[in-house]
Amino acid sequence: MDLAAALRPGPPDPELREIGPDIPGEPYSVSVLQQGYNVPQSDGSTCADCTVSLLRGPSTVLVDTGGPWGSERLLQRLRERGVEPGDVHVVVGTHGHSDHIGNLSLFPGATIIVGCDVSRGDRYLESGLAEGRPFCIDSHVGFILSILHFRHFLLLQTHRMTYFNSKWEATESKCKNVSVVATPGHTGRDVSVLVRGTSMGTVIVAGDLFECCHDEDTWRELSENPAVQETSRKEALRMADVIVPGHGAPFQVHRQLGAGS
């Protein structure tokens, strides 16, 4: 299947172009800390690790962590951006494969989202993701509580998270920035992260919903449910201006005049 066939009917198809790793935005920017790869080996095995993305804005959000073999590299990439593990508020694992969630233990203080599960420490929260409702990471509404006690200034930050009634619906008044959306197919509980308001429009950090820019039919070989994944891919292509795939460089979706949306 042509990657852009998801937009039919209504030719022509969009043009897909790889772009660089940094996408500025307000209130959120998106940076690829590690570009994923998937390389078949001569002995039939595969060498792979996932794309790791950092969202910076009112909250600091890490999307996928890579495998545990790359933990030192991940810490180095974060520190190059001035980010320590304790600075990360939310970690999203787009699904439960080891190359995507292998470094969760580096972020014990973060809210953890893996697939449709959301937890803070040992407390699991209702999210609505398993029922197909988007989950709002940051509504750009938070508060800072300052406490002055014996010359020590304690800064606490609380991040409000909400879910909504229909898939891909991020309500402008309450969830206009970053939301997690169920995109099943590769596994039954895959999610993607939708970021609005970047300099390039809406960015979807898609995990293995897309392997890479021109993944042709190769994604089907890795899919638990290709029919469901194809539907998820169609929805993502209709929404996104940029897609960050699980094992390749980010790519821009250029819609031609007359293309469906």
Side-chain angles (χ1 to χ4, degrees):
M1 186 192 80
D2 181 0
L3 180 65
L7 292 179
R8 294 181 183 136
D13 295 332
E15 181 182 358
L16 307 176
R17 298 176 185 170
E18 290 188 355
I19 60 173
D22 294 305
I23 305 170
E26 180 62 39
Y28 278 90
S29 62
V30 179
S31 297
V32 173
L33 301 183
Q34 170 179 290
Q35 181 175 308
Y37 58 89
N38 188 332
V39 183
Q41 304 297 299
S42 59
D43 63 359
S45 65
T46 300
C47 288
D49 206 353
C50 79
T51 297
V52 179
S53 300
L54 182 68
L55 281 53
R56 302 194 73 176
S59 296
T60 300
V61 182
L62 188 69
V63 185
D64 288 328
T65 71
W69 52 85
S71 59
E72 289 303 318
R73 180 174 62 246
L74 172 60
L75 291 173
Q76 178 182 345
R77 297 286 171 81
L78 287 169
R79 286 166 181 157
E80 287 170 356
R81 304 272 178 165
V83 178
E84 295 292 333
D87 299 329
V88 177
H89 303 116
V90 181
V91 179
V92 180
T94 56
H95 59 287
H97 289 168
S98 61
D99 60 326
H100 289 258
I101 61 168
N103 292 305
L104 290 181
S105 63
L106 297 176
F107 309 96
T111 294
I112 303 295
I113 302 173
V114 177
C116 297
D117 295 326
V118 180
S119 62
R120 295 174 185 162
D122 62 357
R123 181 186 177 200
Y124 282 78
L125 310 177
E126 182 182 5
S127 70
L129 284 165
E131 291 74 42
R133 294 192 295 270
F135 185 81
C136 178
I137 285 183
D138 191 328
S139 60
H140 207 183
V141 177
F143 64 85
I144 297 175
L145 176 62
S146 300
I147 302 174
L148 187 60
H149 181 62
F150 297 115
R151 299 182 180 180
H152 294 283
F153 188 75
L154 178 63
L155 187 64
L156 303 176
Q157 192 170 27
T158 299
H159 303 275
R160 182 174 301 171
M161 299 188 180
T162 315
Y163 61 83
F164 297 97
N165 291 326
S166 62
K167 190 171 182 177
W168 297 102
E169 178 189 74
T171 305
E172 284 295 320
S173 61
K174 292 186 178 180
C175 191
K176 62 184 178 181
N177 297 319
V178 180
S179 54
V180 180
V181 182
T183 52
H186 179 68
T187 72
R189 295 171 70 85
D190 272 52
V191 297
S192 298
V193 179
L194 186 150
V195 187
R196 298 177 184 270
T198 79
S199 62
M200 301 188 75
T202 296
V203 176
I204 295 179
V205 186
D208 287 359
L209 180 62
F210 295 87
E211 288 291 310
C212 58
C213 179
H214 297 292
D215 57 5
E216 306 298 329
D217 282 338
T218 58
W219 64 268
R220 293 178 178 273
E221 301 170 4
L222 303 169
S223 179
E224 290 183 1
N225 193 326
V228 170
Q229 186 169 346
E230 185 170 9
T231 297
S232 296
R233 286 163 65 95
K234 288 179 180 180
E235 292 176 346
L237 281 170
R238 290 192 180 104
M239 287 291 298
D241 298 297
V242 173
I243 290 175
V244 181
H247 297 275
F251 60 88
Q252 194 170 13
V253 181
H254 292 272
R255 295 180 181 84
Q256 305 296 321
L257 291 176
S261 59

